[in-house]
Amino acid sequence: MSGDLAARQAELVATLVAGGPLPPGFAAAPVEAARRALRRKRAGDVARHWPLLAAGLGADWPAVFVDWAAGRPTNGSLRDGWDLARELRDRGTLPPLGADELAWREAANRYDGRGTPRRRRLPALARSGGAVVVQFAGRVRLLRPAPR
Amino acid sequence: MRRMSGPSGVGIGWRPEIAGFVADLPGLRFVEVVAEAVAPAGPLPDGLTELRARDVTVVPHGVRLSLGGAEPVDPARVAHLAAVATALDAPLVSEHIAFVRAGGLEAGHLLPLPRSREAVAAVVANVRRARAELPVPLALEPIAALFDWPDDELDEADFLTEILDATDALLLLDVANVHANARNRGGDPAALLDRLPLERIAYVHVAGGAEAGGFYHDTHTDPVPAAVLDLVRELCARRRPPALLLERDGHYPPAAELRGELDALAAASGYPVVT
């Protein structure tokens, strides 16, 4: 068994964070629960891509993200945060800072909710939760922040 | 500078978000700080400097050493922990019996070891490597886990006792982890207390958690459940540890609620209130 521990630890980490198969002998449900718990940590990564969204939710951020992330495999931190911000907007619970950030991103990029966001080539006006952002020739400007 | 005394009484995990709350606790003698959050070369956070000036003991608590990794512990991480201990004039440091990375991947969380002799040997080797560079004693904390490895050779008490016996490490017993493991992985938490070397406890962790999806999650963001306070009483009835520390890592409640949690810990242990 000497030297085996390193390989088995690597296999387990891959299962938990990289979609690797369940190592032989492990119980599926508890390992799955652990994988879900790691989503709480994922919340921190998304917060770095969407700092205003996370700041706007303050202490509620981890719980809001984990609730949303349950059952959703990651599409990368940028898209995860984007999808969450749109859902909060539709529910009417997007905080003003998050609304500013979402409108900024929507004005600068085209994102269909399925593929990689693409930079817009044409001028665009985006509104979100009262925030108004204009983009012209790649320059983005917040015309009006969401009401605080 | 004189070395601070060991942890005593009821303490709380110092976090920047609650630095003001912690600073206002009149009876506080002991806090813990996440070691990786401290830059020992730079100025310490104001809150910690103030506590130090009041002779409050500050214990650096590492979370990323990966003492249970099959590979040797990273010397740079050990050096950082040692420097933080020196900067804070700490009487001891603490870390976990766990691994956090393997095969080049970071788990982002504390992961359990198989309770095997091979794993005992890996931990013992890393504890010895770390101790050789640390200026103060090391306390080891058994973690909470949701799952077991399939081929345990030892039970939890024997696994922990073998590690402690083969090193000079102290025990940082997390009562919430004992509760969580019993709830999620089976076993009688009080029976485990009967078999652990309670005389080696440097201090105790207590934290909140919540039931979700059929498991008890040691969240550190929920209130301390009654069952965990009951276990604190069970422990103190056997042998009262020198200190007990409340860990809270988010969803910080109003000050009155947090004071209530500290008071409940004082009541359960019989130590003076610090609020």
Side-chain angles (χ1 to χ4, degrees):
Chain A
M1 291 285 280
S2 184
D4 196 35
L5 185 62
R8 297 180 73 207
Q9 287 184 339
E11 193 181 14
L12 182 62
V13 175
T15 302
L16 291 169
V17 304
L22 186 69
F26 281 85
V31 172
E32 175 54 28
R35 206 191 323 225
R36 278 200 299 273
L38 288 174
R39 277 195 204 111
R40 277 198 285 277
K41 295 286 176 183
R42 204 175 115 197
D45 297 335
V46 175
R48 277 190 287 282
H49 280 79
W50 290 81
L52 298 183
L53 173 63
L57 288 163
D60 292 334
W61 164 255
V64 169
F65 180 84
V66 167
D67 282 353
W68 174 85
R72 294 174 204 249
T74 183
N75 289 310
S77 294
L78 177 64
R79 283 182 56 192
D80 283 357
W82 208 312
D83 292 342
L84 172 56
R86 283 178 172 178
E87 186 168 315
L88 294 178
R89 178 196 62 195
D90 295 346
R91 277 193 238 150
T93 56
L94 185 62
L97 278 172
D100 293 354
E101 193 167 38
L102 178 61
W104 187 279
R105 289 256 160 83
E106 301 270 8
N109 304 276
R110 183 184 305 281
Y111 173 47
D112 63 6
R114 291 187 299 274
T116 307
R118 304 280 177 202
R119 203 154 286 285
R120 289 183 188 275
R121 294 181 180 281
L122 298 175
L125 183 76
R127 301 169 190 275
S128 165
V132 181
V133 175
V134 66
Q135 178 267 129
F136 184 80
R139 295 185 58 189
V140 188
R141 185 165 300 163
L142 180 66
L143 291 186
R144 192 175 73 200
R148 265 55 179 171
Chain B
M1 248 186 285
R2 86 193 151 84
R3 172 138 303 160
M4 286 183 289
S5 54
S8 64
V10 172
I12 185 165
W14 186 90
R15 309 287 183 260
E17 295 90 336
I18 53 170
F21 172 84
V22 175
D24 288 342
L25 294 171
L28 189 69
R29 303 303 313 139
F30 154 54
V31 300
E32 190 184 65
V33 63
V34 175
E36 285 82 354
V38 177
L44 295 171
D46 289 347
L48 289 182
T49 305
E50 273 172 43
L51 291 172
R52 283 277 295 98
R54 281 168 50 190
D55 267 339
V56 173
T57 297
V58 183
V59 175
H61 182 56
V63 295
R64 290 287 172 266
L65 263 194
S66 207
L67 285 171
E71 288 132 24
V73 69
D74 178 358
R77 292 180 185 275
V78 177
H80 180 270
L81 182 56
V84 172
T86 301
L88 290 168
D89 204 17
L92 77 160
V93 299
S94 55
E95 244 292 356
H96 301 87
I97 299 175
F99 74 107
V100 304
R101 69 184 66 84
L105 280 179
E106 293 281 334
H109 202 58
L110 302 160
L111 296 180
L113 298 172
R115 296 188 189 106
S116 66
R117 297 237 146 67
E118 187 186 10
V120 168
V123 175
V124 168
N126 273 333
V127 168
R128 287 179 181 155
R129 289 182 187 107
R131 276 295 284 127
E133 306 301 324
L134 289 170
V136 290
L138 170 65
L140 296 176
E141 176 180 1
I143 64 164
L146 297 176
F147 61 88
D148 285 298
W149 287 68
D151 46 359
D152 287 349
E153 298 168 327
L154 305 163
D155 65 16
E156 178 81 350
D158 288 338
F159 177 67
L160 300 176
T161 303
E162 287 208 8
I163 291 168
L164 293 172
D165 282 352
T167 63
D168 63 352
L170 300 164
L171 177 59
L172 163 49
L173 186 66
D174 187 318
V175 174
N177 289 353
V178 172
H179 169 71
N181 286 332
R183 163 72 182 75
N184 296 326
R185 300 156 80 187
D188 176 356
L192 177 62
L193 296 182
D194 285 333
R195 293 184 51 216
L196 291 177
L198 304 183
E199 72 283 358
R200 290 181 74 164
I201 294 180
Y203 61 103
V204 162
H205 273 174
V206 180
E211 296 278 341
F215 290 90
Y216 177 82
H217 294 269
D218 181 50
T219 61
H220 297 193
T221 58
D222 292 279
V224 176
V228 171
L229 286 174
D230 286 344
L231 210 45
V232 168
R233 280 184 279 268
E234 290 271 357
L235 172 65
C236 292
R238 284 161 177 77
R239 185 186 184 102
R240 189 167 72 161
L244 303 94
L245 181 128
L246 178 69
E247 293 184 290
R248 184 85 185 201
D249 288 300
H251 292 210
Y252 296 102
E257 215 173 295
L258 208 45
R259 276 197 294 272
E261 296 237 292
L262 288 168
D263 291 349
L265 205 45
S269 62
Y271 279 116
V273 297
V274 298
T275 56

